[in-house]
Amino acid sequence: MGVSGFIKGFKLLHRTKPRIRLHPYGYIQRRYFLDTKILNSSDSLLPVLIVGAGPVGLVLSVLLTKFGIKCTVLEKNKGFSKHPQAHFINNRTMEVFRKLDGLAEEIQRSQPPVDLWGKFIYCTSLTGSILGSVDHMHPQDFEKIVSPVSVAHFSQYKLTRLLVKLLENLGFGIHTLEGPDSLDHEPLRGGEILMGYECVSIDTTDECVTATVSFSKEGKLLMRKIQSKILIGADGAGSMVRKLVGIDLKGEKDLQKLVSVHFWSKDLGRYLLNERPGMLFFIFNTEVIGVIVAHDLTQGEFVLQIPFYPPQQNLEDFSPEICKKLILKLVGQELSDIDVIDIKPWVMHAEVAERFVCGNNQIMLCGDAAHRFPPAGGFGMNTGIQDAHNLAWKIASLLNGVAPTSILATYETERKPIAVFNTALSVQNFRAAMAVPATLGLDPTVANSVHQVINKGFGSILPSSMQKAILDGIFSIGRSQLSEFILNENNPLGSSRLAKLRHIFEEGKSLQLQFPAEDLGFRMGIVSLLIHARVSDTLKEHLFQIVTMLCLLQSCQLAVEGIMFPVQIQGQGYPI
C-alpha cells in the first residue's frame, strides 16, 4: 500500500466508524479452547507463586489480582528494603502505574518539584567549582504530548511502600514469622506476602511447580513445600530461582564495583536547594571521586556511590565514620548533621538471561532476575515493571481459559529482545558517563587495568598491605590531575581539558537520563494474542490492520494497553 492508499484508508477510517466492543477476560466462548490443556485448580494449589517482593514482584501481584488471579508473594528478607536504590521512573512505567488505582498520581504528588531534580552537575566539590551541568528536563517534557503521564523522580523504597499499601487495599496480608499472623503451617489461599521465606529448591511436573522454601523460627530452620501452577522468579539480580532452574546469564560481568552509602543531611539539602539543585552530582577532586544522588533535597536524603577495589579494599574501609569523612571531602565544607544509614557494596553487570521461560512454560523470570543493567539511564526497575505488565495479562488469559499455554512462551519472545536492547543502551550510556573523568585525565579503564595487574600480575605476589599502598599511591597520583594548578584556564593542559569537557556537554555526549523513543517506541502484545487466540483468520486480519493503523498514528499506548481485553468487531472492516 502506497502513501496515497494509506491517506485514502485514513479518510475512510473516519467515515465508516465500525463498532468495537471491549469485553473482560473470559467473555469469549470457552468452546474454542476445549482442546487446550488447562491445569486444574484446587485449594492446595496456588494459581501463581511470586518469589521476590521488590517493585517488580509487587506490581505483578497487583496486576494479577486485578485480573482475578490469586497469587502469593515470598520474600527472603524479613522486612522491605529502605535503601533508596532506583529512583527514575520513565514514561512507559508511569503509564502502567496510571492504571493502578491512582498510583501515578500519588507518585507525582509525592515527588520533589522537577526544578529540584532535573540537572546533572559536574564539580570539584558541592561547594567548589562547577565544571559543567546538563538540564535533562524541559517544559515540553511535561506537556503530555507523547504520553498522558510524565516521568518521575521517586525512590524505590517509597514506591515499594505505595505498592504494599495498594495490595493491602486489594485484600493482601503481610505475614512475618515472628508475628501473631504467621502462616508457617497454614494453607495458602492467595493474597499473602510472606516475609522471611527463601526458595531453596524447585521441582516441576506436568501439573504443578513445587517450591521448597526455608525459614527460621524460634532459632530453628524449617522447610515448607508450596505448590503452584506457575512460579515467577522476581527475586533480583542474584536470583535464586534463576540459579535453581539452571539458567545462565550472557553479557559483560564486573563492569565496575562500587559502595553505596545511604545518608541524611538536612544542612546539605538546604544548601543545595538554595545554591545548586540537581539530581546527580559528579564530584572530582584530589582527595576523592564519587557521585552523590539527591533523592530528596527537601528532606536531605542522599546516596553516595564510590568506586570500590577489592581485595585491596574491603567493606571495613567504608565504616560509617570513614564514609562521613569522604562525604565531607566531596561536599567541601563542614556539616554537623550527617547521618549514615546504610552501606552496601554492589557490582555493576550488563547481562541477560539465556531464557526467560522454562519448565514447560510453568516458570518465568522477571525484572533483575532476567536482566542486569548498569544504572545509567534507569533501565533496570523500569524494564522489570514492564516485564510484569507484559506477563500479567498472559498468565491471566491462560488461567481464565482465554489462551493456550503457548501464550506464556511469547513473554520471552517479546521481552528478551527489549532486555538485550536496553542492556546495550545502558552500557553505551555508562561509557558516555566515563568520558567525563577520562577527559579530566582519569580514564577508568586505566584504573581497572592497574587494579588487574595488582590482582593477577606481579603485584599478586606482594603482601596485601603493600598491594593496598601501591593501589592508593597510583590513584593519588591520578587524582593530582584535578588540582587547581592543572585544572584552570591559564594552564594549557587544563584549558584544553575544560574545552573538551564543554564540548561533551554541549553535544549531549555525557550521561543521559531520558530515552523517550526507546521507552515508548515498541509494539508488542497484540501480535502474540492474535497468533495464539482461537479466532477466525478474518478477525485476525482486521485486528492486525487496526494495530498497524494505531501505531502509524503514534497511538502506541492504546495499542499496547488495548491488549488487556479481547476485541470483537461488528460492521465493516478497516479499508486499508
Side-chain angles (χ1 to χ4, degrees):
M1 179 183 71
V3 173
S4 61
F6 168 72
I7 295 172
K8 179 181 177 183
F10 178 65
K11 291 178 179 177
L12 287 172
L13 171 66
H14 285 273
R15 285 207 303 266
T16 56
K17 295 187 181 296
R19 289 168 289 171
I20 302 176
R21 290 184 186 174
L22 300 180
H23 299 288
Y25 277 118
Y27 177 88
I28 296 177
Q29 290 89 341
R30 305 224 174 184
R31 60 185 175 82
Y32 290 124
F33 307 107
L34 292 178
D35 60 336
T36 300
K37 182 179 180 181
I38 302 296
L39 296 169
N40 295 323
S41 62
S42 69
D43 289 343
S44 61
L45 187 63
L46 280 169
V48 180
L49 178 65
I50 300 169
V51 181
V56 174
L58 295 176
V59 167
L60 180 59
S61 62
V62 171
L63 291 169
L64 289 173
T65 302
K66 285 184 164 293
F67 283 128
I69 303 299
K70 291 185 179 296
C71 60
T72 291
V73 185
L74 304 182
E75 171 56 48
K76 69 178 181 179
N77 295 307
K78 295 183 179 180
F80 296 103
S81 173
K82 294 183 180 179
H83 201 88
Q85 295 175 283
H87 56 96
F88 181 69
I89 306 176
N90 68 21
N91 274 124
R92 180 63 193 134
T93 300
M94 288 294 284
E95 288 176 352
V96 174
F97 289 169
R98 188 166 164 259
K99 302 296 184 180
L100 301 184
D101 299 343
L103 179 60
E105 291 79 6
E106 179 67 22
I107 289 170
Q108 289 176 325
R109 284 193 300 269
S110 304
Q111 71 172 343
V114 67
D115 57 347
L116 301 184
W117 55 266
K119 288 184 179 180
F120 291 178
I121 296 174
Y122 300 79
C123 53
T124 57
S125 73
L126 293 183
T127 56
S129 301
I130 292 179
L131 302 171
S133 68
V134 179
D135 193 344
H136 293 277
M137 295 294 151
H138 307 285
Q140 59 267 32
D141 294 330
F142 298 89
E143 292 173 359
K144 300 181 180 179
I145 295 172
V146 298
S147 174
V149 64
S150 303
V151 301
H153 174 46
F154 197 67
S155 300
Q156 182 172 319
Y157 79 93
K158 296 179 182 178
L159 173 61
T160 297
R161 189 183 299 160
L162 292 183
L163 289 168
V164 170
K165 180 181 176 183
L166 200 161
L167 283 166
E168 288 176 333
N169 292 339
L170 292 172
F172 270 68
I174 301 172
H175 304 275
T176 61
L177 291 164
E178 305 304 328
D181 57 351
S182 173
L183 294 180
D184 50 317
H185 295 298
E186 296 294 323
L188 302 177
R189 307 289 184 182
E192 305 98 353
I193 301 176
L194 305 182
M195 307 300 294
Y197 288 75
E198 183 172 10
C199 185
V200 294
S201 73
I202 297 173
D203 297 298
T204 60
T205 66
D206 290 340
E207 295 300 318
C208 69
V209 182
T210 301
T212 302
V213 300
S214 69
F215 56 97
S216 296
K217 189 169 185 180
E218 297 175 352
K220 295 180 181 179
L221 183 64
L222 304 174
M223 299 286 181
R224 174 175 183 169
K225 293 185 182 295
I226 302 174
Q227 292 186 320
S228 62
K229 298 175 184 179
I230 293 170
L231 184 144
I232 309 297
D235 50 339
S239 172
M240 181 58 70
V241 172
R242 185 185 66 233
K243 294 171 184 175
L244 289 173
V245 297
I247 295 178
D248 293 328
L249 294 163
K250 280 193 171 181
E252 296 183 68
K253 292 182 184 293
D254 297 346
L255 289 172
Q256 191 173 26
K257 294 181 175 67
L258 299 108
V259 169
S260 178
V261 183
H262 180 203
F263 72 96
W264 294 80
S265 172
K266 286 200 171 184
D267 287 348
L268 179 57
R270 280 192 291 268
Y271 169 78
L272 292 173
L273 277 172
N274 294 325
E275 300 296 331
R276 52 179 73 170
M279 177 194 283
L280 264 62
F281 297 85
F282 298 83
I283 305 164
F284 307 92
N285 62 49
T286 56
E287 293 188 276
V288 65
I289 295 169
V291 179
I292 289 181
V293 185
H295 281 262
D296 192 327
L297 290 177
T298 304
Q299 296 299 317
E301 184 176 20
F302 301 91
V303 169
L304 165 63
Q305 304 283 4
I306 191 163
F308 179 43
Y309 294 94
Q312 290 78 25
Q313 294 178 338
N314 55 57
L315 201 54
E316 286 70 36
D317 294 325
F318 297 91
S319 67
E321 285 305 315
I322 292 174
C323 287
K324 285 182 183 181
K325 292 178 181 178
L326 292 173
I327 291 165
L328 291 175
K329 290 176 181 179
L330 291 165
V331 171
Q333 69 178 28
E334 286 295 320
L335 294 171
S336 61
D337 68 338
I338 296 175
D339 185 11
V340 174
I341 303 298
D342 195 16
I343 302 166
K344 286 185 176 182
W346 63 283
V347 183
M348 188 187 300
H349 304 287
E351 299 177 297
V352 177
E354 291 185 320
R355 290 174 292 153
F356 285 19
V357 180
C358 67
N360 194 27
N361 295 339
Q362 294 168 287
I363 301 171
M364 278 134 276
L365 302 179
C366 207
D368 286 354
H371 39 70
R372 311 195 294 191
F373 307 145
F379 290 100
M381 183 180 72
N382 287 293
T383 305
I385 288 169
Q386 292 158 37
D387 289 343
H389 183 259
N390 180 279
L391 186 55
W393 72 263
K394 294 178 177 178
I395 293 173
S397 66
L398 168 64
L399 297 182
N400 283 329
V402 178
T405 55
S406 56
I407 191 73
L408 297 182
T410 68
Y411 164 66
E412 177 177 319
T413 303
E414 293 175 351
R415 293 304 300 173
K416 185 177 178 181
I418 291 172
V420 170
F421 181 86
N422 285 352
T423 302
L425 190 58
S426 61
V427 170
Q428 177 184 326
N429 204 27
F430 170 68
R431 305 288 187 211
M434 295 300 100
V436 172
T439 300
L440 294 172
L442 299 167
D443 192 336
T445 59
V446 174
N448 290 335
S449 297
V450 168
H451 188 225
Q452 287 181 4
V453 168
I454 293 174
N455 281 341
K456 299 177 182 179
F458 73 90
S460 61
I461 63 173
L462 299 174
S464 58
S465 58
M466 189 174 293
Q467 290 182 31
K468 182 174 176 20
I470 292 172
L471 188 69
D472 290 344
I474 292 173
F475 287 172
S476 179
I477 292 170
R479 290 194 302 270
S480 66
Q481 305 277 330
L482 302 169
S483 69
E484 292 183 5
F485 174 75
I486 295 176
L487 203 60
N488 70 80
E489 295 290 355
N490 296 322
N491 185 304
L493 178 60
S495 177
S496 172
R497 287 176 174 174
L498 291 171
K500 289 178 182 177
L501 204 58
R502 286 192 295 270
H503 179 74
I504 288 174
F505 297 140
E506 289 167 1
E507 296 295 317
K509 294 180 180 179
S510 59
L511 178 69
Q512 299 300 301
L513 178 63
Q514 290 205 79
F515 294 84
E518 290 76 13
D519 292 343
L520 298 171
F522 58 84
R523 292 177 288 165
M524 62 184 185
I526 190 78
V527 174
S528 63
L529 181 61
L530 293 179
I531 291 170
H532 292 270
R534 307 301 176 83
V535 297
S536 69
D537 289 341
T538 302
L539 180 55
K540 287 183 182 180
E541 182 179 352
H542 287 323
L543 289 170
F544 272 122
Q545 290 173 345
I546 292 168
V547 173
T548 301
M549 179 62 76
L550 287 171
C551 292
L552 288 170
L553 295 174
Q554 296 184 348
S555 297
C556 298
Q557 171 70 12
L558 180 58
V560 175
E561 291 186 355
I563 191 56
M564 300 177 107
F565 301 90
V567 180
Q568 284 193 338
I569 298 178
Q570 295 180 341
Q572 296 180 341
Y574 282 71
I576 299 177

